[in-house]
Amino acid sequence: MSIGSFTHPIRMLAGISNSTKPKESEMSTNVLTSSSSDLPATGTSVDAPALEAGTPDFSAIKSKQNAAWSSGDYAKIGVTLQIVGEELAEAVNPVPGSRVLDVAAGNGNATLAFARRWCDVTSTDYVQSLLDGGRRRAEAERLEVAFQTADAEDLPFADGSFDNVVSTFGVMFTPNQKQSAAEMIRTCRSGGKIAMANWTPEGFIGTLFKTLGKRVPPPAGVSSPALWGTGDWIEEQFSPDALDITMKLKSFNFRYRSPEHFIEFFRVFYGPVRKAFMALDKGGQIALYNDIYAAVDRFNQATDGSMIVPSEYAEVIVTRR
C-alpha cells in the first residue's frame, strides 16, 4: 500500500502535517523495532577520544555495521549522490588507463565516474549487496570494472598497487579510522593521488549524525565519521606520507518532495537512520522524527513546501610522497 494513501503513524503522533505525502510505494508504514546494537557509529562528537578502558572491538563493530548497511536499500540513497563522484573524478583528473581503487564504494558512484574516464577501476566494499548493485550499474553502461569484496581496514592489495585510491562518503564510516587511512596510503603508489569526499561536522549530514547520536549513542570509543571532513584530522593522518594535500569545501543539495518525504525515505532506505529508529520505542521514534525535522528546517532553502538542503562536504586530494 502506498504511504501516500493515509497518515503516517510517526508523522501523525509527532504533530507533523500530512499535507505533503511521499509516493514511494515500497516504504513501510510500521513503527520500526529492533536493537540498538546494530547501529553504525555516526553520532559521537568529533572530539571524542577512545575510552581509556581499552581499544574498541572493531571486528564486532564492523559486523554490526555490515548488518546496518545491508538493511534498507542504500542504493536508493547513493544514486542521488552521483554528481559528487563525477566532481571528484574531475578533481583527480586521471590519465586514461590509470589504476583506480574505490574504497567502501557502496553502489559505485565514484567507480562509475572513473570508469567513464577510461580508468581501470577496482570497486570494493564489505557489503556484497552494494557491490552487486554497482556491478549491475556498470553492466548497464557496458563499463569494464572489477568488483571485489574487501575490508577498508585490511585491503587485499599489494603496496603501491594503484595510481589513485578514492572514496566518496564511504571510508569515513570505518570504525578504525587510523587503520583505514593507513590502508589508503599503503595501496597508493608514490606520486599517485588519494581522493575523498567526506561530510563535515558543521554541515547538514554532520548535524544528522549528531542528531542520531543524541537519541541512540554509538559504540563506546568510536569517533564520529565527520572527523574525515576536518582539516586537522586529514593533516594528522596523511601529511607524513604526502607531497601535497588540498582540501576544498563543497556543497551537495539534498532535493526531496518535502521534509517528510526525506525523513521517511531515509528512515526506510538509509541504514544508519533506519537502525536508529529501530532501536527506539514509539516515544523515542517520535522524538527522533521531530529532531530530524528540526534539522531539515534549519538548513532548508525551499519556500514552496519542498526540500532543498545544502550539505557541506570536504573534497580532499592527497598526493602521495
Side-chain angles (χ1 to χ4, degrees), residues 11 22 31-32 61 78-79 81 109 117 131 159 195 205 227-228 231 244 254 307 318:
R11 182 171 59 237
V31 174
L32 301 174
I61 293 170
V79 294
L81 302 167
N109 287 345
R117 290 159 178 80
L131 286 181
D159 296 358
I205 294 297
L227 274 176
W228 289 75
D244 180 68
F254 285 90
M307 172 180 154
V318 178

Side-chain angles (χ1 to χ4, degrees), residues 297-317:
D297 191 56
R298 171 185 162 192
F299 287 89
N300 196 5
Q301 295 183 348
T303 58
D304 59 358
S306 66
M307 172 180 154
I308 305 174
V309 168
S311 186
E312 183 183 79
Y313 71 92
E315 182 182 83
V316 180
I317 309 291

Side-chain angles (χ1 to χ4, degrees), residues 14-319:
I16 304 288
S17 169
N18 193 51
S19 58
T20 304
K21 302 182 181 69
K23 300 177 182 178
E24 292 293 332
S25 60
E26 300 108 310
M27 287 188 181
S28 167
T29 58
N30 297 321
V31 174
L32 301 174
T33 58
S34 184
S35 167
S36 62
S37 62
D38 291 336
L39 184 68
T42 56
T44 47
S45 165
V46 294
D47 298 319
L51 298 184
E52 293 181 1
T55 303
D57 186 346
F58 291 122
S59 295
I61 293 170
K62 280 190 290 187
S63 178
K64 293 171 182 177
Q65 283 187 328
N66 188 303
W69 287 109
S70 298
S71 71
D73 186 355
Y74 175 74
K76 295 182 74 68
I77 307 295
V79 294
T80 68
L81 302 167
Q82 181 61 49
I83 191 172
V84 177
E86 300 294 337
E87 291 186 359
L88 187 67
E90 284 297 292
V92 171
N93 191 27
V95 175
S98 296
R99 300 161 298 167
V100 176
L101 174 64
D102 191 358
V103 180
N107 67 319
N109 287 345
T111 291
L112 297 181
F114 281 88
R116 291 176 184 133
R117 290 159 178 80
W118 311 108
C119 296
D120 295 331
V121 183
T122 299
S123 186
T124 64
D125 202 285
Y126 72 161
V127 179
Q128 186 60 48
S129 60
L130 293 178
L131 286 181
D132 292 341
R135 181 181 291 106
R136 288 191 294 270
R137 296 178 73 193
E139 290 173 349
E141 295 191 32
R142 300 182 180 180
L143 298 172
E144 294 187 7
V145 176
F147 291 88
Q148 184 170 341
T149 305
D151 181 350
E153 297 173 7
D154 186 19
L155 294 169
F157 307 106
D159 296 358
S161 295
F162 296 92
D163 301 301
N164 302 295
V165 178
V166 306
S167 186
T168 56
F169 311 130
V171 70
M172 64 182 294
F173 289 98
T174 57
N176 192 341
Q177 299 177 337
K178 292 180 180 292
Q179 180 61 27
S180 54
E183 283 293 273
M184 295 186 82
I185 294 168
R186 182 186 65 77
T187 53
C188 184
R189 68 165 176 83
S190 177
K193 293 179 180 177
I194 300 164
M196 296 167 284
N198 301 323
W199 301 117
T200 66
E202 297 81 11
F204 171 65
I205 294 297
T207 299
L208 179 61
F209 295 163
K210 296 171 188 174
T211 299
L212 298 179
K214 183 174 70 173
R215 297 292 176 184
V216 184
V222 177
S223 297
S224 169
L227 274 176
W228 289 75
T230 63
D232 288 347
W233 193 86
I234 291 293
E235 184 78 14
E236 178 184 347
Q237 303 307 312
F238 293 94
S239 62
D241 299 282
L243 291 172
D244 180 68
I245 299 176
T246 63
M247 181 171 172
K248 181 178 181 181
L249 295 180
K250 305 184 74 170
S251 184
F252 171 82
N253 287 327
F254 285 90
R255 298 177 182 270
Y256 284 80
R257 297 187 185 106
S258 67
E260 295 89 346
H261 178 220
F262 168 81
I263 297 171
E264 292 176 13
F265 201 85
F266 267 57
R267 184 183 69 89
V268 173
F269 298 121
Y270 187 59
V273 174
R274 178 178 175 83
K275 287 296 185 180
F277 274 103
M278 292 173 71
L280 299 168
D281 60 17
K282 184 169 67 175
Q285 292 188 28
I286 292 170
L288 178 58
Y289 191 104
N290 284 327
D291 288 347
I292 297 175
Y293 194 95
V296 172
D297 191 56
R298 171 185 162 192
F299 287 89
N300 196 5
Q301 295 183 348
T303 58
D304 59 358
S306 66
M307 172 180 154
I308 305 174
V309 168
S311 186
E312 183 183 79
Y313 71 92
E315 182 182 83
V316 180
I317 309 291
V318 178
T319 303

